[in-house]
Amino acid sequence: MKLNIDGLLVCFPYDYIYPEQYSYMLELKRTLDAKGHGVLEMPSGTGKTISLLSLIVAYQKAYPLEVTKLIYCSRTVPEIEKVVEELKKLMDYYTKQTEAKNDFLALALSSRKNLCIHPEVSSLRFGKEVDGKCHSLTASYIRAQHHCNPSQPVCQFYEEFDAVGRQVLIPPGIYNLNDLKDFGRRKGWCPYFLARSSILHANIVVYSYNYLLDPKIADLVSKELAKKSVVVFDEAHNIDNVCIDSMSVNITRRTLDRCQTNVETLQNTISRIKETDAAKLQEEYRRLVEGLTEANVARETDMYLSNPVLPDEILQEAVPGSIRTAEHFVGFMKRFLEYLKARLRIHHVVQESTPQFLKDIYEKVCIDRKPLRFCAERLRSLLRTLEIADIADFSAITLISHFATLVSTYNKGFTIIIEPFEDRTPTIANPVLHFSCMDPSIAIKPVFGRFQSVIITSGTLSPLDIYPRILDFRPVTVASFTMTLARTCLCPLIVGRGNDQVAMTSKFETREDFAVIRNYGNLLLEMSAIVPDGIVAFFTSYIYMENIVASWYEQGILENIQRNKLIFIETQDAAETSMALMLNKNKISANGVRNIILIKCKRLFISFSFQPPVHHYGRAVIVFGVPYVYTQSRILKARLEYLRDQFQIRENDFLTFDAMRHAAQCVGRAIRGKTDYGLMIFADKRYARADKRGKLPRWIQEHLTDGSLNLTIDETVQLGKHFLRQMAQPFRQEDQLGLSLLTLEQLQSEDMLQKIAQIAQA
Amino acid sequence: MHHINIITMASLSEEVLLVVKRVRQRKQDGTLYLMAERIAWGPEGKDRFTVSHLYADIRCQKISPDGKAKIQLQLVLHTGESTTFHFANESTALKDRDATKELLQQLLPKFKKKANKELEEKNRMLQEDPVLFQLYKDLVVSQVISAEEFWANRLSLNSVEHSLSNNNKQEVGISAAFLADIRPQTDGCNGLRYNLTTDIIESIFRTYPTVKQKYAENVPHNMTEKEFWTRFFQSHYFHRDRINTGLQDIFSECAKEDEKGLKSMVTQGVKNPMVDLLSLEDKTLDEGYGTATVPTTSNSSNKSLRENSNSAIIKRFNHHSAMVSKAYTPLDVILTSLFVAFQVKLQEAIEYDDLQGDSGRKTISLNLKKSDRYSHGPIPLQSQHYSTSQDIINSISIIQHEMRSYKPRLTQVMSSSAASSAITALSPGGVLMQGGGQQTINQLVPTDVQSELKHLYTAAGELLRHFWSCFPVSTPFLEEKVVKMKSNLEKFQVMKLRPFQEKIQRQYLSTSLTGHLEEMLQAAYNKFQAWQMRRMMRKT
């Protein structure tokens, strides 16, 4: 249908629309008009992606000079492909409507592993191997050697692309990863480099967060993207952690040992080259005197390393004299390395700020701040000069140089923690230096600064005000949309007590309590008897899950659950878990039976952040306990302190916020769409408190009545039974029409528009 | 044990597999023979068998519990009869019995399949067709005709059609809780008793193929069946932590084997990209970056014993569930679903079926033969009189379907006028049935009599159909059959019709109720006599 969104003609590729989609597009349009940033929360399963795409594409078509590009960031490869697939659908609709040829170019970009078509390289299984192998075939000096010596292997796809493909623009169309590969095969061009060069003139780019947030990659891939772009971060509930991860470094003794060997290799190579080809080093020296401006000239294939947030002044300045010659630099690195080794030789925990660290290093080994800042750039130049083929080997020294640059660049927002051993095993010495970023805004700042509109959206972003605070930006629109429902298809219940009235909680003091474990088991058992399809059960941590499962086994609870459902338990081995998931998928498609219980650990689950598989199983989702992070961790403590000092966010507020967003993520999986239905069971009495409850997304909170707080297991079963029976009645489209599903005519009616205006709430 | 020299009484072509002397049957001493296709027993000193059962007829064997004074073996036949043998040789009785049991155990399954199929088929037909069932009761159970005669021209009709539907038969799955359901009972003196049924054993074998292999290797050469299962339940394999398996445990290998299987599955990788956790992340952080403390060197040596056993439990449950769910997914389904294009999956993932105009949901419906049995559980055969609304809807749709594909074979039917005139001639009041009254019976007689009459009609109709189908009598087989059918008709008249007539007389109802029936029978007799006369004439 064709919609009129605030004066903009939007083609929407479906015959019906949800009211909240309309409302979402309205808000989005306002954000784009204001050229500002936005935070939008809309429940999963209400067609967020297609609303986003429809509106932004329409906007691009209407105002091609205002918005030139859409950069859509998602988290996982399947998600990326899903987005492109929806885009295809939208574009098909456009061509059908206008009967004009599509002149849009949209493409997905992923790592080499997912795009390589070189027969040998693409058969490698791990991303790192693929990258390394690719580099050894496409680096500029390898290709130069190939010119003189044809027996040197190169990648013919890259050669072909470089010779022909660079000048020819890829024809307009929607390219998913597989389409790119097909196109590459047809032409004999490398799809990865084709995609990388094409994103500059594509109208829509879909790739993962890291290409924008991780400065090491962003510098390489996204540097030249137009300023007038709209950036969308989908599934952005974890965006702060992605930012932090991309800027944090851990150094162990093993890293240092490997770095040591790297330094030795460098030294040997330098002395060898000095004998054979001293001119080369001379040339490099000359270049360094001239400054680093040539960094831009570096060819895209030479991905030795890119600098984590290169401050602009570095690029203008010349590399300081103390590290300008190759030998001096290696000596400098050696000294730095020795210093780090000495720091790791401690017996107590040390925590210090970056200025403290710099002061200490100056006092102990006379290393100045300035050369440290140039460390990463200098190493990059050296590695290129020495023509080292396998950069994967030099990951340790690269890491150290990144650390050096980061630690000398930022005074604030970072902390250094040196731990001599792990807390769990105080007898085993395993010193680690955590260089931990505490301020997610550092990594995302360039994104907000550079692009005209940045949209942060997810199904669970509550409480909405916290994201602008921790990411340090000023949004023009902040809105949360509820799900309009013709029937209440979600049923959140908070179970606080067992049938024996013992409180159920995963509070640290009582979590190992026998009664708590038994009650948790009884809850799962009772639910397994009444829920017709699958149940997904989440635990707060892997170890806790293991313990509970073991004691359930001893008490015979698992045996009884097995009578009702098959049980799959997540293991720490991702491969094994995906195997189990796959077997299950097959079973579902083959028999239409979905009687499974998936037992998962919450933290692990989130770190994998996979969405699709769980869909099919979750008729009921049970969250055992409140998924707090491990609060004893020093890194976390430091971060909490920083948040309190810098952003005035109290520790408890942040911890609760973090726990509740994880919980909301888990239960959010229960509902796939409006025709779906699911039970959401929070099994901890603490959920009933206002401070926890209030942090759940609005669309869940709405259905949480006072009658469903602090229930016993029996009451839960009764309520659940009742709900499931009601929901199992046939549900037709007619029931939804006019309420939660609208035709074009209904949408245009006056009172409906009024109702829609109420859906969005800031 | 003796050898072939005494087998003169059996037909010589038969191979004798086992001879057991001093076996009593009905308090008579004798000898038990196990032959290739049957089991037989002859009393001492006589040269013929008084008991002989084909293996195909035997449903199962039962043995007396250990420790009982009498060592017996009972054979239960499909007909429900049973024969009990008592092994009376004091010194070797137990051994004899076990030898017999073992041999039977190997032999019976071979024959079982064949017999079962036919029986099942018959059973199914009777269950599905209440009229047929009534007929069966009227004719076979009351011994008007024999079961073979009854089935003679029915099975062939249906077997073709049924074998078609057999092709996509649904396999029975394994209950997830089958292991939990094997509840050991204490036998009072520090022991445990496990009751194993064939179903459970089958489940164990299908879930743990390695156990099946072990069974094939060891039973009966190395140990008896009982010993095998005893060891199985004693083993760590069955129990929780598999890591501590000792060497003497024959199942320790199984655990390793399973582990290997699981590993190989894992290394093969996951073909469905939507669930492959390894490839989800597009660009992982390099080693050393990130805040998450990497679980450094979490070797098994680092972990406590308890943690190890915990993860063993988790592994075991996953393995169990994987095997159970695999067991009822046919291999080809797994394979095809692996190759279902990723594109299709993506499409599925982005569908919003309620936003679409027409939401053609594709669901896989459970293919139930008898939906009422699914919802009510098994019920005795007698309660098949009613039909659910679903049945009616189904049958209507079946009829509609048949009508659509109906093609009259015009060469083989008589003209409609001829047919209708034949029917009128045979109806009460018609040319051939002059004697009968023409009142409508439904006002005159009580319903039970009506229904009885109905049954009589169908039974008589069936018999008459058999009878008339013999004409023209062209082969000696048909001749034989027609004679038999005539006697069957007479038998029917005597055993069924007469009692009914007496009954209605007692209730002071008009005997003319059965007039039509008798006329029909009379017509058949007349025909028979005419035929016989002609035959005699021809012979003389």
Side-chain angles (χ1 to χ4, degrees):
Chain A
M1 61 167 85
K2 284 181 179 160
L3 303 167
N4 173 7
I5 308 274
D6 204 10
L8 178 72
L9 176 73
V10 174
C11 281
F12 189 72
Y14 291 96
D15 300 334
Y16 301 91
I17 187 169
Y18 299 140
E20 57 268 36
Q21 285 183 317
Y22 182 80
S23 175
Y24 187 89
M25 288 196 238
L26 266 179
E27 291 295 330
L28 191 60
K29 162 89 171 23
R30 279 173 204 156
T31 319
L32 296 188
D33 281 341
K35 294 194 170 45
H37 311 313
V39 179
L40 303 173
E41 176 186 56
M42 184 152 93
S44 45
T46 48
K48 217 170 23 233
T49 311
I50 193 67
S51 319
L52 263 169
L53 291 174
S54 305
L55 188 102
I56 297 180
V57 166
Y59 205 92
Q60 267 180 291
K61 293 211 176 215
Y63 312 105
L65 295 177
E66 298 293 314
V67 171
T68 52
K69 196 190 288 289
L70 163 64
I71 304 170
Y72 195 106
C73 302
S74 199
R75 300 207 52 188
T76 62
V77 179
E79 299 255 313
I80 289 170
E81 301 202 66
K82 252 166 70 185
V83 172
V84 180
E85 218 51 44
E86 297 211 35
L87 198 56
K88 270 187 191 166
K89 190 165 191 167
L90 178 65
M91 286 306 175
D92 283 349
Y93 184 73
Y94 262 104
T95 31
K96 223 182 278 164
Q97 288 300 311
T98 58
E99 290 180 0
K101 225 177 142 327
N102 171 36
D103 54 351
F104 249 57
L105 174 64
L107 51 89
L109 175 63
S110 180
S111 55
R112 288 181 174 85
K113 184 183 154 232
N114 296 320
L115 279 174
C116 183
I117 53 170
H118 190 278
E120 264 172 58
V121 182
S122 60
S123 64
L124 296 171
R125 219 178 142 200
F126 294 102
K128 220 182 244 176
E129 294 169 0
V130 177
D131 288 351
K133 186 87 186 163
C134 177
H135 182 258
S136 70
L137 292 177
T138 56
S140 54
Y141 57 86
I142 298 275
R143 295 176 56 222
Q145 280 173 23
H146 176 72
H147 267 296
C148 347
N149 173 17
S151 67
Q152 175 85 24
V154 289
C155 172
Q156 77 272 19
F157 295 105
Y158 181 76
E159 293 302 318
E160 194 68 22
F161 167 71
D162 198 48
V164 189
R166 231 176 254 284
Q167 284 78 36
V168 188
L169 293 186
I170 181 169
I174 315 297
Y175 296 90
N176 216 336
L177 297 178
N178 278 332
D179 305 323
L180 280 171
K181 277 189 186 170
D182 287 343
F183 183 77
R185 277 201 199 96
R186 260 205 321 277
K187 297 270 184 183
W189 299 345
C190 172
Y192 174 73
F193 286 103
L194 176 70
R196 262 183 58 181
S197 72
S198 301
I199 60 171
L200 293 179
H201 62 265
N203 301 82
I204 299 171
V205 181
V206 185
Y207 57 31
S208 89
Y209 279 25
N210 301 320
Y211 286 93
L212 219 48
L213 291 183
D214 189 342
K216 300 184 283 297
I217 313 170
D219 194 47
L220 211 69
V221 179
S222 316
K223 206 149 116 192
E224 292 165 45
L225 293 182
K227 197 173 156 42
K228 286 188 173 174
S229 302
V230 175
V231 179
V232 175
F233 289 106
D234 199 358
E235 303 292 327
H237 43 268
N238 248 349
I239 195 168
D240 52 327
N241 290 334
V242 178
C243 294
I244 284 178
D245 275 349
S246 69
M247 300 286 280
S248 298
V249 174
N250 296 313
I251 296 170
T252 59
R253 201 170 264 170
R254 200 166 140 259
T255 325
L256 294 182
D257 290 343
R258 280 175 51 214
C259 188
Q260 179 79 45
T261 33
N262 286 347
V263 168
E264 276 156 22
T265 324
L266 280 181
Q267 207 162 18
N268 295 339
T269 325
I270 289 169
S271 56
R272 206 177 55 238
I273 285 195
K274 216 167 181 187
E275 285 161 18
T276 56
D277 197 0
K280 218 183 228 168
L281 290 174
Q282 274 302 316
E283 167 68 11
E284 192 205 14
Y285 184 86
R286 195 188 52 74
R287 264 188 293 145
L288 291 176
V289 174
E290 282 168 12
L292 283 173
T293 32
E294 54 86 44
N296 299 329
V297 188
R299 309 290 294 273
E300 57 180 336
T301 49
D302 296 309
M303 47 145 293
Y304 285 104
L305 57 98
S306 41
N307 212 319
V309 189
L310 259 186
D312 286 338
E313 60 264 34
I314 288 192
L315 286 179
Q316 265 98 60
E317 285 176 51
V319 173
S322 57
I323 57 170
R324 222 175 273 161
T325 62
E327 289 110 323
H328 288 173
F329 178 61
V330 171
F332 175 85
M333 281 312 278
K334 254 182 172 170
R335 217 159 65 219
F336 186 55
L337 194 61
E338 285 308 320
Y339 172 74
L340 288 179
K341 273 187 187 163
R343 288 305 301 265
L344 281 187
R345 239 175 273 128
I346 48 156
H347 298 290
H348 58 277
V349 180
V350 175
Q351 180 174 357
E352 57 189 27
S353 65
T354 42
Q356 271 174 313
F357 182 83
L358 288 176
K359 184 163 172 280
D360 191 57
I361 199 172
Y362 183 72
E363 281 169 2
K364 296 251 171 70
V365 285
C366 290
I367 287 183
D368 215 352
R369 185 174 168 196
K370 199 172 174 201
L372 268 184
R373 282 174 90 178
F374 284 88
C375 222
E377 205 46 47
R378 180 67 191 90
L379 179 70
R380 185 177 133 122
S381 160
L382 180 66
L383 287 178
R384 199 170 49 236
T385 315
L386 298 184
E387 296 183 357
I388 283 159
D390 199 355
I391 47 152
D393 280 350
F394 285 86
S395 63
I397 194 169
T398 311
L399 182 78
I400 299 288
S401 72
H402 277 182
F403 166 66
T405 305
L406 281 173
V407 81
S408 51
T409 307
Y410 294 97
N411 296 332
K412 237 174 64 180
F414 287 86
T415 188
I416 293 165
I417 297 171
I418 307 173
E419 286 178 320
F421 45 74
E422 277 178 65
D423 278 344
R424 276 174 56 225
T425 52
T427 46
I428 304 163
N430 180 25
V432 187
L433 185 149
H434 300 284
F435 177 66
S436 163
C437 172
M438 295 181 299
D439 190 349
S441 67
I442 292 175
I444 206 170
K445 198 173 185 172
V447 179
F448 282 123
R450 174 124 152 255
F451 297 110
Q452 149 179 328
S453 282
V454 178
I455 312 292
I456 290 184
T457 185
S458 172
T460 49
L461 282 177
S462 295
L464 288 173
D465 58 321
I466 209 155
Y467 284 90
R469 271 158 86 191
I470 57 177
L471 296 180
D472 193 24
F473 71 103
R474 212 155 300 219
V476 293
T477 31
V478 178
S480 169
F481 303 86
T482 55
M483 199 183 218
T484 52
L485 291 173
R487 52 169 193 176
T488 34
C489 68
L490 62 159
C491 176
L493 299 171
I494 296 175
V495 196
R497 295 165 291 152
N499 289 337
D500 47 6
Q501 302 301 325
V502 176
M504 276 204 274
T505 175
S506 70
K507 219 188 217 164
F508 188 73
E509 300 83 54
T510 54
R511 58 162 56 177
E512 301 294 340
D513 193 340
F514 208 68
V516 171
I517 293 178
R518 191 190 55 232
N519 277 333
Y520 274 162
N522 282 339
L523 175 65
L524 186 59
L525 175 60
E526 302 268 324
M527 294 317 291
S528 74
I530 64 158
V531 175
D533 296 323
I535 298 177
V536 188
F538 290 100
F539 286 89
T540 52
S541 75
Y542 192 80
I543 297 169
Y544 186 49
M545 179 187 84
E546 256 189 3
N547 285 340
I548 282 205
V549 166
S551 48
W552 282 355
Y553 179 83
E554 276 154 18
Q555 293 169 29
I557 292 174
L558 279 189
E559 213 171 74
N560 287 324
I561 295 173
Q562 266 195 325
R563 266 173 228 280
N564 301 325
K565 310 232 183 275
L566 286 180
I567 304 176
F568 278 96
I569 304 165
E570 182 171 352
T571 57
Q572 273 169 320
D573 185 348
E576 245 171 63
T577 309
S578 30
M579 195 68 222
L581 283 171
M582 191 188 73
L583 277 172
N584 260 309
K585 268 223 122 142
N586 285 328
K587 202 186 75 181
I588 286 164
S589 56
N591 297 25
V593 183
R594 308 167 165 186
N595 283 338
I596 317 147
I597 294 185
L598 274 170
I599 296 185
K600 309 188 137 286
C601 145
K602 143 116 264 324
R603 288 278 157 192
L604 221 63
F605 167 77
I606 289 302
S607 68
F608 288 122
S609 78
F610 64 106
Q611 191 181 22
V614 191
H615 275 337
H616 300 261
Y617 313 134
R619 189 60 81 206
V621 175
I622 308 178
V623 184
F624 290 107
V626 182
Y628 279 116
V629 277
Y630 175 59
T631 45
Q632 296 307 304
S633 143
R634 291 188 186 80
I635 300 175
L636 181 75
K637 277 183 180 160
R639 189 175 167 201
L640 289 176
E641 237 165 74
Y642 184 81
L643 285 173
R644 192 190 54 208
D645 296 346
Q646 298 296 319
F647 301 114
Q648 286 78 48
I649 298 172
R650 280 187 301 147
E651 282 108 328
N652 242 333
D653 280 352
F654 182 78
L655 285 176
T656 315
F657 152 75
D658 188 59
M660 293 317 282
R661 73 171 160 184
H662 282 297
Q665 267 303 301
C666 296
V667 295
R669 305 285 187 238
I671 304 264
R672 191 158 37 133
K674 294 191 171 184
T675 48
D676 202 12
Y677 60 93
L679 272 172
M680 303 171 166
I681 297 173
F682 299 91
D684 195 311
K685 68 165 189 192
R686 287 175 291 173
Y687 283 110
R689 290 192 203 144
D691 66 317
K692 310 275 187 309
R693 206 158 29 112
K695 288 197 168 68
L696 284 173
R698 202 159 71 92
W699 57 278
I700 296 179
Q701 252 184 76
E702 270 182 345
H703 301 282
L704 201 58
T705 56
D706 285 341
S708 50
L709 305 177
N710 203 17
L711 303 169
T712 65
I713 294 176
D714 270 350
E715 289 163 345
T716 315
V717 169
Q718 283 314 315
L719 285 171
K721 249 187 200 164
H722 180 72
F723 169 76
L724 289 168
R725 280 209 192 117
Q726 262 187 338
M727 287 299 119
Q729 306 311 314
F731 185 60
R732 293 181 310 273
Q733 200 180 33
E734 297 86 74
D735 303 331
Q736 278 205 69
L737 262 182
L739 286 167
S740 57
L741 190 67
L742 303 175
T743 60
L744 191 56
E745 297 85 63
Q746 283 168 332
L747 186 65
Q748 280 156 349
S749 73
E750 199 56 45
D751 52 333
M752 185 51 78
L753 287 175
Q754 254 167 22
K755 255 190 229 164
I756 286 173
Q758 290 165 5
I759 289 175
Q761 269 186 18
Chain B
M1 303 222 177
H2 288 243
H3 286 281
I4 321 229
N5 48 9
I6 43 162
I7 318 301
T8 43
M9 45 194 167
S11 61
L12 281 168
S13 59
E14 267 184 295
E15 183 194 355
V16 175
L17 304 170
L18 181 69
V19 180
V20 185
K21 283 205 143 192
R22 299 210 51 193
V23 176
R24 311 181 90 187
Q25 207 263 333
R26 299 203 176 168
K27 311 240 158 102
Q28 233 185 327
D29 271 329
T31 313
L32 187 68
Y33 300 89
L34 272 79
M35 280 161 286
E37 289 190 332
R38 58 179 183 148
I39 183 169
W41 179 86
E44 198 113 357
K46 301 240 175 82
D47 57 351
R48 60 187 181 79
F49 297 134
T50 52
V51 177
S52 165
H53 297 306
L54 290 173
Y55 291 135
D57 291 337
I58 299 173
R59 189 166 69 203
C60 65
Q61 56 167 339
K62 291 177 175 172
I63 53 170
S64 54
D66 291 351
K68 264 264 183 85
K70 275 185 176 176
I71 293 167
Q72 289 179 320
L73 182 135
Q74 189 182 43
L75 299 177
V76 183
L77 305 186
H78 288 302
T79 52
E81 296 165 42
S82 64
T83 315
T84 310
F85 299 107
H86 174 203
F87 293 80
N89 196 344
E90 286 110 37
S91 51
T92 60
L94 196 61
K95 223 176 75 188
D96 287 349
R97 201 269 313 269
D98 285 348
T100 317
K101 187 197 83 180
E102 296 269 326
L103 190 58
L104 273 177
Q105 211 162 41
Q106 290 170 29
L107 288 170
L108 286 182
K110 289 186 204 158
F111 294 91
K112 212 171 197 169
K113 259 193 195 141
K114 211 169 88 192
N116 270 356
K117 236 185 203 154
E118 238 175 70
L119 260 178
E120 258 172 37
E121 176 74 352
K122 288 176 184 171
N123 209 359
R124 186 186 63 83
M125 285 173 65
L126 286 181
Q127 278 177 18
E128 281 176 359
D129 189 349
V131 180
L132 190 73
F133 183 62
Q134 184 60 43
L135 209 59
Y136 185 84
K137 276 206 296 198
D138 286 345
L139 297 180
V140 181
V141 179
S142 57
Q143 295 181 332
V144 175
I145 54 174
S146 73
E148 281 98 70
E149 271 175 319
F150 179 79
W151 288 114
N153 58 0
R154 292 205 171 265
L155 271 182
S156 57
L157 275 178
N158 285 297
S159 58
V160 180
E161 164 224 18
H162 184 67
S163 69
L164 277 177
S165 67
N166 238 349
N167 269 343
N168 44 20
K169 206 175 97 189
Q170 303 178 78
E171 243 183 86
V172 181
I174 299 174
S175 154
F178 75 88
L179 276 182
D181 282 337
I182 318 171
R183 290 244 165 229
Q185 300 156 332
T186 45
D187 62 355
C189 48
N190 261 343
L192 292 171
R193 280 167 57 99
Y194 288 91
N195 280 330
L196 284 180
T197 65
T198 41
D199 278 348
I200 293 177
I201 293 176
E202 169 82 351
S203 300
I204 294 176
F205 282 167
R206 276 170 69 186
T207 316
Y208 301 106
T210 45
V211 175
K212 186 176 188 179
Q213 201 188 330
K214 282 279 163 218
Y215 182 86
E217 278 170 18
N218 289 315
V219 179
H221 329 297
N222 294 342
M223 57 183 88
T224 64
E225 197 187 358
K226 194 178 157 192
E227 215 178 323
F228 179 84
W229 290 116
T230 314
R231 285 218 199 169
F232 176 74
F233 287 115
Q234 281 169 350
S235 74
H236 287 284
Y237 184 67
F238 175 67
H239 289 289
R240 42 181 301 183
D241 21 33
R242 286 202 205 161
I243 29 173
N244 301 328
T245 40
L247 281 175
Q248 76 284 4
D249 192 346
I250 57 164
F251 294 103
S252 58
E253 259 174 66
C254 293
K256 277 180 211 144
E257 206 63 26
D258 285 349
E259 196 92 323
K260 236 194 262 167
L262 209 63
K263 279 251 172 64
S264 76
M265 279 202 281
V266 169
T267 46
Q268 270 169 21
V270 178
K271 302 284 179 356
N272 181 352
M274 298 293 259
V275 292
D276 189 356
L277 302 185
L278 290 177
S279 70
L280 278 183
E281 210 65 50
D282 190 21
K283 189 88 187 179
T284 45
L285 289 164
D286 284 334
E287 199 185 338
Y289 295 97
T291 46
T293 37
V294 195
T296 44
T297 58
S298 57
N299 295 331
S300 49
S301 59
N302 236 340
K303 281 186 176 174
S304 67
L305 196 68
R306 178 168 170 76
E307 274 174 355
N308 249 334
S309 83
N310 284 353
S311 61
I313 292 173
I314 289 177
K315 261 210 183 119
R316 196 169 97 83
F317 270 101
N318 282 345
H319 181 247
H320 175 81
S321 300
M323 291 313 288
V324 167
S325 57
K326 225 170 94 178
Y328 57 110
T329 314
L331 189 66
D332 49 339
V333 176
I334 293 186
L335 288 179
T336 47
S337 65
L338 281 183
F339 295 115
V340 169
F342 179 49
Q343 221 60 25
V344 179
K345 294 213 171 89
L346 271 181
Q347 287 294 352
E348 272 169 26
I350 64 164
E351 258 346 278
Y352 286 94
D353 33 273
D354 49 343
L355 286 181
Q356 223 95 33
D358 50 337
S359 45
R361 258 272 183 75
K362 290 160 285 171
T363 49
I364 300 160
S365 54
L366 189 57
N367 180 11
L368 287 178
K369 281 267 169 60
K370 281 188 272 290
S371 56
D372 50 328
R373 275 195 68 182
Y374 179 71
S375 35
H376 302 302
I379 37 170
L381 289 176
Q382 278 73 12
S383 55
Q384 285 282 333
H385 290 299
Y386 70 93
S387 44
T388 62
S389 54
Q390 190 57 42
D391 283 345
I392 295 168
I393 293 167
N394 282 349
S395 51
I396 287 173
S397 71
I398 288 171
I399 288 170
Q400 277 173 338
H401 182 75
E402 274 177 2
M403 289 316 289
R404 230 173 285 136
S405 57
Y406 172 70
K407 264 198 208 109
R409 268 174 282 173
L410 292 174
T411 49
Q412 287 176 29
V413 294
M414 52 175 124
S415 70
S416 58
S417 60
S420 66
S421 74
I423 289 170
T424 31
L426 285 165
S427 304
V431 192
L432 293 171
M433 305 285 145
Q434 273 309 334
Q438 279 182 311
Q439 323 102 301
T440 45
I441 57 165
N442 47 351
Q443 285 106 16
L444 297 177
V445 289
T447 43
D448 61 322
V449 179
Q450 270 184 45
S451 71
E452 205 172 330
L453 189 62
K454 248 189 244 166
H455 289 153
L456 281 177
Y457 260 101
T458 42
E462 174 68 16
L463 286 175
L464 285 168
R465 193 175 63 77
H466 277 284
F467 176 81
W468 288 105
S469 70
C470 299
F471 292 96
V473 185
S474 48
T475 60
F477 170 72
L478 279 179
E479 254 172 52
E480 202 181 307
K481 186 176 176 188
V482 86
V483 174
K484 211 161 59 193
M485 286 328 288
K486 197 230 163 193
S487 71
N488 279 346
L489 282 175
E490 281 166 349
K491 239 195 270 174
F492 174 77
Q493 202 170 12
V494 175
M495 292 172 64
K496 289 272 170 178
L497 202 54
R498 285 283 145 68
F500 181 71
Q501 278 169 333
E502 279 157 26
K503 186 177 154 197
I504 55 173
Q505 250 165 12
R506 254 180 278 126
Q507 293 181 352
Y508 308 109
L509 291 164
S510 149
T511 44
S512 61
L513 272 180
T514 56
H516 178 237
L517 267 176
E518 276 181 6
E519 273 174 38
M520 288 202 297
L521 290 177
Q522 201 50 55
Y525 295 155
N526 290 343
K527 176 75 185 174
F528 183 75
Q529 259 154 17
W531 170 75
Q532 223 168 14
M533 292 276 280
R534 238 196 333 240
R535 197 171 62 147
M536 300 294 263
M537 300 260 283
R538 224 179 297 147
K539 272 190 182 162
T540 52

